[in-house]
Amino acid sequence: MRLLRDWSLWKFVWGLTGLLLLAQIAQAAEPLAVVRIAPLRECRADMKVVQEILGTEEDAATRAMGWLLERMETLAKNGLDDSRPLGLAAVSLGGDRVVWVAAVPTTDVHALHGVVEPWIGDIEEKEGGVVKFTFLGKELYANLGAGWVYVSEKQAAVSRVPASPEPWLEGFDPQWDVGVRINVPQVLASFGTRLGAWVEKVKDKARREDQRHPLAATVVPQILAVASAATVETQEVIVGWQVDRENQKVRCVCRCVALPNTNLARYFAGQQNVTSPLVALRHWPDAVFSAGWASTFPTPPEEELEKIGQALRAEMERVIEKGIHKAEDANLVRELFEEWLRIADDWVHQGRYEGAVTLVAKPDQLTLVGAKFVGNSHAAEEFVGHLVESARARFPKLFERITVTPDYARHGDAVIHFMEIDLGDKLKPEQKALIGDKLEVAFTAANGYAGVAIGKNAVAMLKRAIDDCVAQGEQAAPSFEMRASIEKMTDVCAQLNPKNKRVQQIKEYLHQNDREELVTARATTSGQSAEVVWEADLRLMRVGRMVRHPDPTVTQNLHP
């Protein structure tokens, strides 16, 4: 009996220990998501910079910003600590029950209470230092800690908060005005079953549309399967937004971090070693816009590729049945489509997604240059030739204005084909100055790549692209890169539309300083993470206002 009593005692001790351990785990569990807001001191400084750029003209945005600045200053003078960040965390209460908890830094909680007191009512003290109250009619709970006030809709949420939310707010760039971090494993633990059911529902719906939309019925389930696998292997997603006062830019960052030793982590790591000769086209000094991309992807299984091919053929047959009535034309379209499918199949098996495009603008020239990895360049060249000759035979009247010269020039390993389109009197003199009397198109395909130039001096520009790619060779670069000069693009628009007063006003404004207004984007990988950074010049905010207000009496007040 004594042994039995001892055994019962030990079970009680072990059970109690387990309960305490579970309680500790529950309290230490990381939030599903965290929002970090920069210290109000930094937010106010950033907002004042934006105010200066927007100018003195009053509208809804400037009024709202002015009101918010006043409230921030009032709170900072009355108990809110404007030197520390604010936090907002989504915490789990078990299962799929999630509630938000706000963490507010304070220097004097009584002074802060005095500011918000007119909107607070029905105050009631609860156990554990928790206070229940209503704010604007909504029932809330607060936990008054050392230098922090936690607020939530649920008492359980504020009853188990840490002494300080600083561990929640780690991992963010301190320069960000707003940062959001999503803990993907925690989200899946709470909502994984519901999300999985939703994914299966979408897949079933796509499959039921097999007769009407065969391509969607095939591709959507495959895309969802890949996305689901990648989500399970993701550790966290972080998004940040920042006003860079020093460089006068607004910046947005999105970062995805994979779990260690997963396929997603290995994929991110492998992208650092991808090289491309087309990187040379990304940085031409006379480009108003340029973009380039280079990455690899795993080749899908053959049975999946076959399904996609059959679905594409089914979609093409639907198009032919609806819009092409002559048997000869229908057979031609099928032939061209099968030719394109063979090229696409070869490209997919190469597993490279690589290309570049750039728009060159000078006072007397506008030319678009693009290049792409196609895998089988010989087949791509034959396909384009077949397409042009088929179009010439099908639309002879249209080709009275078009001159096609195959094998126009040879440049290294490349044979350049040339086409001129007579635009007649369709262009104005200022447009002809940029494009020319005839629209030129130059095309080539060699060594696995295809390139095209459209615009004035197309052949010369294509040769320049070939020379730069050969001279600079394979280079490592961001997986994606984009650069747009808003100032130069406005110059082009002003030259094409000299009588448009709004465009001329924007051009005048952008030329008031020596700095070039840019919009840029970069996607890079590092270790087990991938990151996208988007940047834009702050002065473009004022350009947006000029676009919205065509009246010169309004826009003239926007100049500093």
Side-chain angles (χ1 to χ4, degrees):
M1 289 296 293
R2 181 178 180 182
L3 180 61
L4 183 60
R5 288 196 301 271
D6 290 345
W7 175 241
S8 300
L9 178 63
W10 278 113
K11 285 198 295 183
F12 172 78
V13 171
W14 288 343
L16 180 61
T17 303
L19 288 174
L20 291 173
L21 181 60
L22 289 174
Q24 285 287 85
I25 292 174
Q27 183 162 343
E30 295 183 15
L32 281 72
V34 173
V35 179
R36 179 192 183 275
I37 301 174
L40 289 193
R41 185 181 302 171
E42 298 298 322
C43 291
R44 295 207 310 272
D46 291 342
M47 291 175 69
K48 287 178 180 178
V49 169
V50 174
Q51 269 190 327
E52 291 176 4
I53 288 178
L54 289 178
T56 58
E57 187 65 29
E58 188 174 299
D59 61 7
T62 54
R63 286 194 296 269
M65 197 173 296
W67 180 89
L68 191 57
L69 278 170
E70 290 178 5
R71 299 303 178 274
M72 286 181 174
E73 290 173 2
T74 300
L75 291 172
K77 292 176 182 178
N78 293 275
L80 186 67
D81 190 346
D82 66 350
S83 66
R84 290 185 291 164
L86 291 83
L88 191 63
V91 298
S92 174
L93 298 180
D96 59 358
R97 295 184 302 151
V98 175
V99 65
W100 287 94
V101 178
V104 182
T106 61
T107 55
D108 187 342
V109 70
H110 298 291
L112 185 61
H113 174 261
V115 175
V116 298
E117 187 175 12
W119 299 284
I120 290 180
D122 301 330
I123 300 176
E124 179 185 349
E125 292 188 7
K126 297 287 187 179
E127 64 274 9
V130 176
V131 177
K132 178 184 177 182
F133 64 98
T134 58
F135 182 77
L136 296 176
K138 188 175 184 63
E139 189 176 278
L140 297 173
Y141 295 85
N143 188 336
L144 310 181
W148 293 90
V149 175
Y150 292 97
V151 181
S152 178
E153 294 181 335
K154 300 294 183 181
Q155 180 178 351
V158 295
S159 298
R160 59 181 191 178
V161 291
S164 168
E166 292 178 358
W168 291 353
L169 304 178
E170 292 176 352
F172 292 99
D173 189 327
Q175 302 299 320
W176 289 352
D177 291 288
V178 180
V180 180
R181 181 175 66 245
I182 300 173
N183 188 320
V184 178
Q186 291 285 353
V187 171
L188 293 178
S190 295
F191 298 100
T193 303
R194 187 182 298 182
L195 289 172
W198 177 83
V199 168
E200 291 303 320
K201 184 177 179 180
V202 174
K203 287 182 180 179
D204 291 340
K205 185 177 180 180
R207 293 188 186 103
R208 288 197 300 269
E209 296 291 321
D210 182 58
Q211 297 300 319
R212 292 172 50 194
H213 304 288
L215 182 59
T218 302
V219 173
V220 169
Q222 294 183 19
I223 292 176
L224 289 175
V226 173
S228 299
T231 302
V232 171
E233 295 181 350
T234 301
Q235 178 173 312
E236 61 183 12
V237 175
I238 304 174
V239 179
W241 185 86
Q242 171 194 359
V243 173
D244 186 343
R245 300 194 297 270
E246 181 178 354
N247 297 305
Q248 296 281 288
K249 292 181 181 294
V250 60
R251 181 177 298 112
C252 183
V253 179
C254 181
R255 184 182 305 128
C256 177
V257 181
L259 291 167
N261 302 317
T262 59
N263 290 329
L264 186 61
R266 286 186 284 272
Y267 176 77
F268 286 158
Q271 297 310 297
Q272 299 176 79
N273 303 318
V274 176
T275 60
S276 169
L278 302 183
V279 174
L281 304 183
R282 300 186 187 186
H283 309 297
W284 281 5
D286 50 356
V288 300
F289 173 86
S290 62
W293 54 96
S295 60
T296 62
F297 57 88
T299 302
E302 289 299 326
E303 58 271 19
E304 298 295 339
L305 290 177
E306 183 61 29
K307 289 180 182 178
I308 294 174
Q310 293 300 331
L312 286 169
R313 290 185 180 93
E315 289 284 357
M316 180 55 64
E317 286 299 325
R318 290 176 63 247
V319 172
I320 291 173
E321 289 176 7
K322 288 183 177 180
I324 303 176
H325 305 295
K326 292 185 178 180
E328 181 182 356
D329 293 342
N331 290 333
L332 176 61
V333 170
R334 291 189 184 96
E335 183 181 347
L336 289 169
F337 182 72
E338 288 296 328
E339 198 171 339
W340 175 83
L341 270 183
R342 287 192 292 273
I343 297 172
D345 182 71
D346 184 79
W347 168 73
V348 168
H349 281 86
Q350 297 282 347
R352 290 182 66 86
Y353 183 62
E354 180 185 352
V357 61
T358 183
L359 180 63
V360 174
K362 301 177 183 179
D364 61 345
Q365 179 183 344
L366 185 65
T367 310
L368 179 68
V369 180
K372 183 183 182 299
F373 177 79
V374 294
N376 191 336
S377 53
H378 177 70
E381 185 176 31
E382 288 189 338
F383 172 74
V384 172
H386 190 186
L387 182 65
V388 171
E389 290 305 317
S390 300
R392 190 209 298 268
R394 181 66 181 82
F395 308 104
K397 192 166 185 63
L398 177 63
F399 271 76
E400 291 177 0
R401 288 178 169 269
I402 300 175
T403 303
V404 179
T405 309
D407 303 337
Y408 178 83
R410 180 175 290 275
H411 194 70
D413 294 336
V415 176
I416 298 175
H417 310 284
F418 185 57
M419 180 168 64
E420 284 183 313
I421 303 173
D422 188 354
L423 300 175
D425 56 356
K426 298 183 181 296
L427 298 181
K428 299 176 182 179
E430 55 269 16
Q431 295 170 338
K432 287 185 178 181
L434 281 173
I435 300 174
D437 295 325
K438 297 180 179 180
L439 181 63
E440 299 178 3
V441 180
F443 171 80
T444 190
N447 301 323
Y449 293 87
V452 64
I454 304 172
K456 188 180 278 189
N457 302 325
V459 173
M461 296 303 294
L462 193 56
K463 288 181 178 180
R464 173 187 170 185
I466 295 170
D467 289 342
D468 283 0
C469 291
V470 171
Q472 298 182 30
E474 296 275 349
Q475 300 179 69
S479 300
F480 174 80
E481 200 168 12
M482 184 275 290
R483 181 181 186 274
S485 171
I486 306 302
E487 181 178 331
K488 291 180 180 179
M489 292 175 74
T490 305
D491 290 345
V492 172
C493 293
Q495 188 172 347
L496 292 172
N497 301 277
K499 296 181 180 181
N500 189 310
K501 294 182 180 180
R502 198 184 312 182
V503 173
Q504 300 300 329
Q505 288 170 344
I506 294 173
K507 175 185 175 181
E508 178 187 350
Y509 169 69
L510 292 177
H511 280 273
Q512 286 181 356
N513 65 11
D514 296 331
R515 190 176 69 251
E516 186 178 8
E517 283 75 15
L518 299 173
V519 175
T520 62
R522 290 166 60 92
T524 57
T525 58
S526 176
Q528 63 190 59
S529 66
E531 182 176 272
V532 178
V533 180
W534 176 88
E535 289 184 342
D537 196 289
L538 277 173
R539 280 163 48 92
L540 297 179
M541 290 184 176
R542 186 175 290 193
V543 173
R545 180 179 289 187
M546 289 181 177
V547 173
R548 293 193 302 271
H549 298 288
D551 188 352
T553 61
V554 175
T555 56
Q556 67 185 4
N557 295 325
L558 297 177
H559 298 285

